[in-house]
Amino acid sequence: MALFHIFLVAIIQGLTEFLPVSSSGHLILLSKVTPFPDQGLAIDVAAHVGTLGAVILYFWADARIAFCGLPRMLTGRIDTPGARLAFLLSAATIPVMLAGLILKLTGMDETLRSVAVIGWTMILFGIVLWWMDQHGPQTKTETDWSLKDALKMGLWQALALIPGTSRSGITITGARQIGYARKDAAKLAMLMSIPTIIASGTLLSLDVIKEADIDLAKDAAIAAVFSFFAALLALAFMMRLLRSVSFTPYVIYRILLGVALLFIAYS
């Protein structure tokens, strides 16, 4: 791959993974509406590894607690804050893993990768995010997170398997619908991305291993580094912006992009 192509893929993945505008949708569009070919699974996995590193670093205090509590959780002891957080994050990941498996086995995952689908989901789920953000109560904080809420947010997150939906956007939508304040909703959605990215990256890497070579490994390493810094920048920007601004700017962007995509798809 050309260095500029790798840079473009990594920056798009990094900037859009945690903003509620759909990273997968933007990456699919890159190959659909530009001369660039699809970047392939290896670069996808590498870019996801970069974003994973960014979210773990940004939320290191919470991530460390969850990682430290994982051994206790695996032995059935949910008696510490770390074990409880690890348990809730694991529970929240189950719906998207099951839905992803179903889509892959049925072949629907490829069927949904179209410009028209991305255009409609950009608009539809952008409006849903705006509605929930404007009308949802803000009575809960991250300390109120329960198994019931984790499973509800997990079901919302499963919708992100439809390209253009946005994993972070739809999870934040679910959190706002339940009643979490904006910043707490965003933080929980970001923490939920950690096991989700690990799970999806592991599955994708099984296919990547078969085709890996030294040149591909170099390209992947470059993509991971670029993606890491772009994702860290996007995370810092969004979390700071939420102190004073709602999700409306992202919704406006989604709708404008969605309209443009529908024009391209149907013209």
Side-chain angles (χ1 to χ4, degrees), residues 82-129:
R84 181 176 181 276
L85 181 56
F87 173 68
L88 293 177
L89 289 174
S90 300
T93 309
I94 293 174
V96 72
M97 291 181 65
L98 292 176
L101 181 61
I102 292 171
L103 285 180
K104 190 170 183 62
L105 291 176
T106 59
M108 286 292 292
D109 55 333
E110 290 299 324
T111 305
L112 294 171
R113 294 167 66 90
S114 74
V115 174
V117 168
I118 296 171
W120 284 115
T121 52
M122 277 283 182
I123 295 171
L124 174 62
F125 290 114
I127 293 172
V128 174
L129 172 59

Side-chain angles (χ1 to χ4, degrees), residues 59-266:
F59 292 106
W60 172 242
D62 298 276
R64 182 182 63 81
I65 290 173
F67 285 133
C68 290
L70 188 59
R72 294 186 71 86
M73 187 272 287
L74 292 175
T75 59
R77 294 176 293 174
I78 319 297
D79 55 356
T80 65
R84 181 176 181 276
L85 181 56
F87 173 68
L88 293 177
L89 289 174
S90 300
T93 309
I94 293 174
V96 72
M97 291 181 65
L98 292 176
L101 181 61
I102 292 171
L103 285 180
K104 190 170 183 62
L105 291 176
T106 59
M108 286 292 292
D109 55 333
E110 290 299 324
T111 305
L112 294 171
R113 294 167 66 90
S114 74
V115 174
V117 168
I118 296 171
W120 284 115
T121 52
M122 277 283 182
I123 295 171
L124 174 62
F125 290 114
I127 293 172
V128 174
L129 172 59
W130 176 83
W131 179 266
M132 294 301 181
D133 186 45
Q134 294 298 313
H135 300 279
Q138 299 197 55
T139 57
K140 292 187 176 184
T141 65
E142 59 179 288
T143 57
D144 297 315
W145 208 34
S146 64
L147 177 58
K148 181 180 179 182
D149 289 351
L151 290 173
K152 283 183 179 179
M153 289 175 64
L155 289 172
W156 279 92
Q157 182 176 237
L159 292 172
L161 293 171
I162 306 172
T165 301
S166 170
R167 193 214 61 81
S168 62
I170 200 66
T171 312
I172 290 170
T173 299
R176 289 291 295 113
Q177 186 270 328
I178 294 170
Y180 286 91
R182 286 191 182 108
K183 195 167 183 180
D184 295 276
K187 182 177 180 179
L188 290 174
M190 298 308 109
L191 290 175
M192 282 174 60
S193 74
I194 296 175
T196 302
I197 295 174
I198 290 174
S200 62
T202 300
L203 289 175
L204 290 175
S205 63
L206 296 177
D207 293 327
V208 170
I209 291 173
K210 303 173 186 176
E211 61 182 70
D213 57 47
I214 188 64
D215 291 328
L216 189 58
K218 290 178 181 178
D219 289 349
I222 294 171
V225 171
F226 282 144
S227 181
F228 169 82
F229 286 108
L232 202 57
L233 179 65
L235 265 174
F237 172 77
M238 184 179 72
M239 297 306 292
R240 180 177 293 273
L241 195 65
L242 286 178
R243 296 175 184 173
S244 55
V245 181
S246 69
F247 292 105
T248 301
Y250 304 110
V251 173
I252 294 173
Y253 171 80
R254 288 182 65 105
I255 292 174
L256 292 176
L257 180 58
V259 171
L261 293 176
L262 291 180
F263 176 79
I264 292 172
Y266 295 114

